[in-house]
Amino acid sequence: MNLLPDSDPHDADAPGVSAGYAANMNGVAAVDRAMAVVQALETARRPLSLAELARTTGLYKSAILRLAVSLERCGLVVRRADQSYTFGPLAFRLGKAYDAQAPLETTLRPLMDRLVRDGMESPSFHVPHDSATRLCLLRMDSLHSTLDRVRVGDLLPLAAGAPGKVLRQAPPDARLRDISPWLQLSFGERDPHCAAVAGPVFGPGHVLLGALSLSGPLDRFDAPSVRRLAPALLAACRDATATLGGQWPDAEGAPPVDGHAG
Protein backbone atom coordinates (compact mmCIF):
# COMPACT_ATOMS: atom_id res chain seq x y z
CA MET A 1 0.00 0.00 0.00
CA ASN A 2 1.47 3.34 -1.01
CA LEU A 3 0.67 6.09 1.51
CA LEU A 4 1.93 8.96 -0.65
CA PRO A 5 -0.88 11.19 -1.97
CA ASP A 6 -2.08 10.44 -5.50
CA SER A 7 -2.83 14.06 -6.34
CA ASP A 8 -2.44 17.58 -5.07
CA PRO A 9 -5.50 18.43 -2.92
CA HIS A 10 -5.11 22.14 -3.81
CA ASP A 11 -5.43 21.45 -7.56
CA ALA A 12 -2.39 23.52 -8.53
CA ASP A 13 -2.88 22.55 -12.18
CA ALA A 14 -6.35 24.08 -12.44
CA PRO A 15 -6.86 26.63 -15.23
CA GLY A 16 -5.99 30.19 -14.21
CA VAL A 17 -3.59 29.20 -11.45
CA SER A 18 -0.29 31.12 -11.68
CA ALA A 19 3.00 29.27 -12.07
CA GLY A 20 4.26 30.67 -8.76
CA TYR A 21 1.18 29.57 -6.87
CA ALA A 22 1.30 26.14 -8.52
CA ALA A 23 4.95 25.74 -7.50
CA ASN A 24 4.16 26.65 -3.89
CA MET A 25 1.16 24.32 -3.74
CA ASN A 26 3.21 21.36 -4.95
CA GLY A 27 4.65 21.15 -1.45
CA VAL A 28 7.96 19.57 -0.47
CA ALA A 29 8.53 16.01 -1.63
CA ALA A 30 10.82 15.16 1.29
CA VAL A 31 8.15 16.23 3.78
CA ASP A 32 5.55 14.13 1.95
CA ARG A 33 7.85 11.10 2.20
CA ALA A 34 8.52 11.71 5.90
CA MET A 35 4.79 11.98 6.57
CA ALA A 36 4.27 8.70 4.73
CA VAL A 37 6.56 7.06 7.29
CA VAL A 38 4.64 8.71 10.14
CA GLN A 39 1.29 7.61 8.66
CA ALA A 40 2.56 4.04 8.34
CA LEU A 41 3.43 3.95 12.05
CA GLU A 42 0.09 5.49 12.99
CA THR A 43 -1.86 2.97 10.93
CA ALA A 44 0.11 -0.04 12.18
CA ARG A 45 -0.15 0.93 15.87
CA ARG A 46 2.97 -1.07 16.61
CA PRO A 47 6.68 -0.74 15.94
CA LEU A 48 7.64 -1.44 12.33
CA SER A 49 10.88 -2.76 10.92
CA LEU A 50 12.68 -1.05 8.08
CA ALA A 51 11.43 -3.71 5.68
CA GLU A 52 7.83 -3.23 6.85
CA LEU A 53 8.08 0.54 6.44
CA ALA A 54 9.45 0.12 2.94
CA ARG A 55 6.67 -2.28 2.00
CA THR A 56 3.95 -0.05 3.48
CA THR A 57 5.13 3.28 2.10
CA GLY A 58 6.59 2.16 -1.24
CA LEU A 59 9.83 4.01 -0.39
CA TYR A 60 13.35 2.66 -0.71
CA LYS A 61 14.99 1.53 2.53
CA SER A 62 17.84 3.96 1.97
CA ALA A 63 15.33 6.85 1.73
CA ILE A 64 13.56 5.74 4.91
CA LEU A 65 16.88 5.60 6.78
CA ARG A 66 17.62 9.20 5.81
CA LEU A 67 14.14 10.36 6.73
CA ALA A 68 14.31 8.50 10.04
CA VAL A 69 17.39 10.51 11.06
CA SER A 70 15.39 13.75 10.83
CA LEU A 71 12.32 12.22 12.48
CA GLU A 72 14.48 10.89 15.32
CA ARG A 73 16.26 14.20 15.73
CA CYS A 74 13.00 16.01 16.52
CA GLY A 75 11.68 13.16 18.67
CA LEU A 76 8.72 12.24 16.49
CA VAL A 77 10.13 8.75 15.84
CA VAL A 78 12.60 6.62 17.81
CA ARG A 79 14.55 3.53 16.82
CA ARG A 80 14.33 0.70 19.32
CA ALA A 81 17.04 -1.73 20.35
CA ASP A 82 15.68 -4.32 17.91
CA GLN A 83 16.07 -1.71 15.10
CA SER A 84 12.32 -1.29 14.65
CA TYR A 85 10.75 2.18 14.59
CA THR A 86 7.98 3.61 16.74
CA PHE A 87 6.65 6.98 17.87
CA GLY A 88 8.77 9.16 20.14
CA PRO A 89 7.96 11.72 22.84
CA LEU A 90 7.06 14.47 20.34
CA ALA A 91 4.10 12.35 19.16
CA PHE A 92 2.76 12.31 22.71
CA ARG A 93 3.25 16.07 23.09
CA LEU A 94 1.51 16.72 19.78
CA GLY A 95 -1.45 14.65 20.93
CA LYS A 96 -1.69 16.58 24.19
CA ALA A 97 -1.43 19.88 22.30
CA TYR A 98 -4.22 18.79 19.96
CA ASP A 99 -6.42 17.88 22.93
CA ALA A 100 -5.77 21.28 24.51
CA GLN A 101 -6.59 23.23 21.34
CA ALA A 102 -9.55 21.20 20.10
CA PRO A 103 -12.64 21.49 22.35
CA LEU A 104 -14.32 18.49 20.73
CA GLU A 105 -13.71 16.03 23.54
CA THR A 106 -14.61 18.41 26.37
CA THR A 107 -17.79 19.34 24.50
CA LEU A 108 -18.87 15.90 23.36
CA ARG A 109 -18.07 13.70 26.34
CA PRO A 110 -20.75 15.19 28.64
CA LEU A 111 -23.32 14.82 25.86
CA MET A 112 -22.25 11.24 25.18
CA ASP A 113 -22.38 10.49 28.91
CA ARG A 114 -25.93 11.89 29.02
CA LEU A 115 -26.96 9.59 26.17
CA VAL A 116 -25.53 6.58 28.03
CA ARG A 117 -27.24 7.55 31.31
CA ASP A 118 -30.53 7.93 29.44
CA GLY A 119 -30.32 4.31 28.32
CA MET A 120 -29.36 4.91 24.69
CA GLU A 121 -27.04 2.76 22.60
CA SER A 122 -23.26 3.32 22.57
CA PRO A 123 -22.29 6.82 21.35
CA SER A 124 -19.26 7.39 19.11
CA PHE A 125 -17.84 10.37 17.26
CA HIS A 126 -16.29 9.87 13.83
CA VAL A 127 -14.19 12.12 11.59
CA PRO A 128 -12.86 11.51 8.08
CA HIS A 129 -9.43 9.93 7.96
CA ASP A 130 -8.86 9.80 4.22
CA SER A 131 -10.91 9.40 1.06
CA ALA A 132 -11.91 5.83 2.00
CA THR A 133 -11.95 5.63 5.80
CA ARG A 134 -13.25 7.37 8.90
CA LEU A 135 -11.66 7.50 12.34
CA CYS A 136 -13.47 6.78 15.59
CA LEU A 137 -12.25 9.73 17.67
CA LEU A 138 -14.42 9.22 20.77
CA ARG A 139 -16.43 6.29 22.10
CA MET A 140 -18.43 5.40 25.21
CA ASP A 141 -20.03 2.01 25.84
CA SER A 142 -23.72 1.86 26.65
CA LEU A 143 -25.11 0.30 29.82
CA HIS A 144 -26.43 -2.69 27.85
CA SER A 145 -24.86 -6.09 28.43
CA THR A 146 -24.17 -6.71 24.73
CA LEU A 147 -22.27 -4.15 22.66
CA ASP A 148 -21.01 -3.58 19.16
CA ARG A 149 -17.24 -3.68 18.63
CA VAL A 150 -16.09 -0.11 18.00
CA ARG A 151 -13.11 1.42 19.77
CA VAL A 152 -11.31 4.76 19.79
CA GLY A 153 -8.77 4.82 16.98
CA ASP A 154 -10.59 2.31 14.80
CA LEU A 155 -10.42 3.06 11.08
CA LEU A 156 -13.76 2.16 9.49
CA PRO A 157 -15.02 2.38 5.90
CA LEU A 158 -16.41 5.73 4.84
CA ALA A 159 -18.68 3.97 2.34
CA ALA A 160 -20.53 1.93 4.98
CA GLY A 161 -22.44 2.71 8.16
CA ALA A 162 -24.55 5.63 9.29
CA PRO A 163 -21.56 7.81 10.35
CA GLY A 164 -20.03 7.30 6.91
CA LYS A 165 -23.26 8.47 5.28
CA VAL A 166 -23.20 11.65 7.38
CA LEU A 167 -19.55 12.35 6.60
CA ARG A 168 -19.98 11.87 2.86
CA GLN A 169 -23.21 13.89 2.96
CA ALA A 170 -25.47 11.18 1.57
CA PRO A 171 -29.05 12.05 0.57
CA PRO A 172 -31.57 12.21 3.45
CA ASP A 173 -32.84 8.91 4.78
CA ALA A 174 -36.58 8.75 4.08
CA ARG A 175 -37.12 6.67 7.23
CA LEU A 176 -36.02 9.56 9.44
CA ARG A 177 -36.96 12.59 7.37
CA ASP A 178 -39.95 13.43 9.58
CA ILE A 179 -37.51 13.72 12.54
CA SER A 180 -34.64 15.39 10.69
CA PRO A 181 -33.21 15.23 7.16
CA TRP A 182 -29.71 15.32 8.68
CA LEU A 183 -29.95 11.93 10.42
CA GLN A 184 -28.83 8.67 8.81
CA LEU A 185 -29.54 5.00 9.52
CA SER A 186 -27.62 1.83 8.73
CA PHE A 187 -28.50 -1.82 9.26
CA GLY A 188 -25.74 -4.41 8.89
CA GLU A 189 -23.72 -2.38 6.39
CA ARG A 190 -20.31 -2.52 8.08
CA ASP A 191 -21.03 -5.39 10.46
CA PRO A 192 -23.95 -7.71 9.60
CA HIS A 193 -24.88 -7.90 13.28
CA CYS A 194 -24.88 -4.17 14.06
CA ALA A 195 -26.94 -1.07 13.32
CA ALA A 196 -26.50 2.66 13.90
CA VAL A 197 -28.14 6.04 13.69
CA ALA A 198 -25.91 9.08 13.16
CA GLY A 199 -26.10 12.84 12.79
CA PRO A 200 -23.73 15.71 12.01
CA VAL A 201 -21.96 18.12 14.34
CA PHE A 202 -21.23 21.52 12.80
CA GLY A 203 -18.72 24.20 13.69
CA PRO A 204 -18.54 27.88 12.76
CA GLY A 205 -19.40 28.61 9.14
CA HIS A 206 -21.44 25.39 8.84
CA VAL A 207 -18.21 23.35 8.73
CA LEU A 208 -18.98 19.66 9.21
CA LEU A 209 -16.79 18.63 12.17
CA GLY A 210 -17.83 15.00 12.33
CA ALA A 211 -20.61 12.48 12.89
CA LEU A 212 -22.08 11.55 16.27
CA SER A 213 -23.68 8.11 16.29
CA LEU A 214 -25.51 5.60 18.45
CA SER A 215 -24.71 1.99 17.57
CA GLY A 216 -25.40 -1.46 18.90
CA PRO A 217 -26.63 -4.96 18.05
CA LEU A 218 -29.01 -5.16 15.12
CA ASP A 219 -31.79 -6.81 17.14
CA ARG A 220 -32.10 -3.70 19.34
CA PHE A 221 -32.79 -1.43 16.37
CA ASP A 222 -36.42 -2.23 15.65
CA ALA A 223 -38.69 0.59 14.49
CA PRO A 224 -39.87 1.72 17.97
CA SER A 225 -36.27 1.76 19.24
CA VAL A 226 -35.10 3.86 16.31
CA ARG A 227 -37.94 6.32 16.94
CA ARG A 228 -36.70 6.62 20.53
CA LEU A 229 -32.99 6.91 19.70
CA ALA A 230 -33.21 9.40 16.84
CA PRO A 231 -34.67 12.40 18.75
CA ALA A 232 -32.17 11.94 21.58
CA LEU A 233 -29.29 11.84 19.14
CA LEU A 234 -30.62 14.85 17.25
CA ALA A 235 -30.76 16.85 20.49
CA ALA A 236 -27.15 15.92 21.27
CA CYS A 237 -26.02 16.93 17.77
CA ARG A 238 -27.79 20.26 18.10
CA ASP A 239 -26.31 20.90 21.57
CA ALA A 240 -22.80 20.02 20.38
CA THR A 241 -23.15 22.28 17.36
CA ALA A 242 -24.27 25.22 19.50
CA THR A 243 -21.50 24.74 22.07
CA LEU A 244 -18.84 24.51 19.34
CA GLY A 245 -19.95 27.80 17.79
CA GLY A 246 -21.91 26.34 14.91
CA GLN A 247 -25.45 26.90 13.74
CA TRP A 248 -27.87 24.08 13.05
CA PRO A 249 -28.99 24.28 9.39
CA ASP A 250 -32.55 24.76 8.28
CA ALA A 251 -34.38 21.60 7.25
CA GLU A 252 -33.93 22.47 3.59
CA GLY A 253 -30.65 24.33 4.03
CA ALA A 254 -27.61 24.10 1.82
CA PRO A 255 -25.21 21.16 2.34
CA PRO A 256 -22.55 21.85 4.99
CA VAL A 257 -18.91 22.59 4.27
CA ASP A 258 -16.73 19.54 4.86
CA GLY A 259 -14.05 20.72 7.22
CA HIS A 260 -12.01 17.52 6.81
CA ALA A 261 -11.99 17.17 3.04
CA GLY A 262 -8.61 16.50 1.58
Side-chain angles (χ1 to χ4, degrees), residues 105 107-117 121-125 138-140 212-214 236:
E105 183 167 2
T107 297
L108 291 171
R109 281 211 173 275
L111 297 173
M112 295 167 70
D113 182 63
R114 185 180 72 192
L115 290 168
V116 170
R117 286 188 283 105
E121 296 294 338
S122 299
S124 305
F125 185 71
L138 300 170
R139 160 78 181 197
M140 294 183 70
L212 184 62
S213 69
L214 294 171

Side-chain angles (χ1 to χ4, degrees), residues 142-158:
S142 74
L143 300 177
H144 299 291
S145 59
T146 54
L147 305 169
D148 60 328
R149 296 185 300 274
V150 177
R151 291 293 174 261
V152 170
D154 283 354
L155 290 178
L156 305 169
L158 196 60

Side-chain angles (χ1 to χ4, degrees), residues 154-181:
D154 283 354
L155 290 178
L156 305 169
L158 196 60
K165 292 178 181 178
V166 171
L167 294 177
R168 66 178 191 269
Q169 299 174 30
D173 191 311
R175 296 166 292 186
L176 293 175
R177 192 169 186 108
D178 63 317
I179 298 175
S180 172

Side-chain angles (χ1 to χ4, degrees), residues 12 31 43-44 48 52 59 65 69 120 175 188 224 228 242 244 252-253:
V31 176
T43 302
L48 294 178
E52 289 174 317
L59 297 171
L65 287 171
V69 171
M120 303 298 155
R175 296 166 292 186
R228 180 176 64 90
L244 290 166
E252 302 299 329

Side-chain angles (χ1 to χ4, degrees), residues 227-244:
R227 306 298 294 185
R228 180 176 64 90
L229 294 170
L233 177 67
L234 177 62
C237 291
R238 285 178 173 270
D239 288 348
T241 294
T243 304
L244 290 166

